[in-house]
Amino acid sequence: MIAGIKLTMDNCYLAVLGDTLETYSFVENREIVEHLSEAEVDVIAIDTAWERSQAVAQEEQELIDEGFSFIPAEMEPELVKRSEHLVNLLKRKGLDCDFIRFDPVITSEELAVHSENALESLGLDVSSIGSSGEFDAVLGAVTARFYQEEQFEDMGVVVPKSLEG
């Protein structure tokens, strides 16, 4: 199973992709941890960095130089703290999985996925998506799937390989 997480200061949106796609909205990090702690998760994609380092900043600059548009981690210090807290909680609960960073705009552009119809064309049942935050979390789960299948480029943010070739 894989998961995508979209964080905001008010809510956390979670998409879990196993045999089916399920989406959730939570207020607190601990709610996500409780939901995922019993699952066998292979990859969790989070839309916010959970560490600050010069290497990530350099990779972010490379993304900007290549024309990608996104918000660098240093411009979201409160979200980085929340993400760091979430990752630490998940690790303390014993989740032995890969954590990757994704950006919903980059995934959407690279895969030309701008609507629920486009997600359906990837074979996903989108009936559980109830908000734009949940849609972004699903893009995280899709990114995690490309990561799992080694169809990506790691630029500090995991960039799925375009379906157009």
Side-chain angles (χ1 to χ4, degrees), residues 124-140:
L124 300 176
D125 175 4
V126 298
S127 61
S128 70
I129 299 174
S131 69
S132 62
E134 290 177 358
F135 183 89
D136 285 353
V138 172
L139 290 174

Side-chain angles (χ1 to χ4, degrees), residues 56-127:
V56 173
Q58 289 172 346
E59 290 171 332
E60 289 176 340
Q61 186 58 48
E62 290 174 23
L63 281 168
I64 292 168
D65 292 345
E66 289 196 22
F68 290 105
S69 177
F70 71 103
I71 299 172
E74 66 186 32
M75 295 184 71
E76 300 180 308
E78 293 303 313
L79 280 177
V80 171
K81 287 180 189 174
R82 183 173 193 171
S83 184
E84 179 181 28
H85 178 253
L86 176 61
V87 169
N88 286 334
L89 286 174
L90 289 165
K91 287 179 179 179
R92 273 188 265 160
K93 274 291 192 178
L95 257 74
D96 183 26
C97 65
D98 290 338
F99 292 93
I100 63 170
R101 181 175 174 202
F102 84 102
D103 182 274
V105 173
I106 291 173
T107 295
S108 177
E109 291 299 318
E110 283 299 296
L111 301 179
V113 175
H114 304 289
S115 68
E116 289 181 3
N117 287 340
L119 287 174
E120 286 177 331
S121 73
L122 295 175
L124 300 176
D125 175 4
V126 298
S127 61

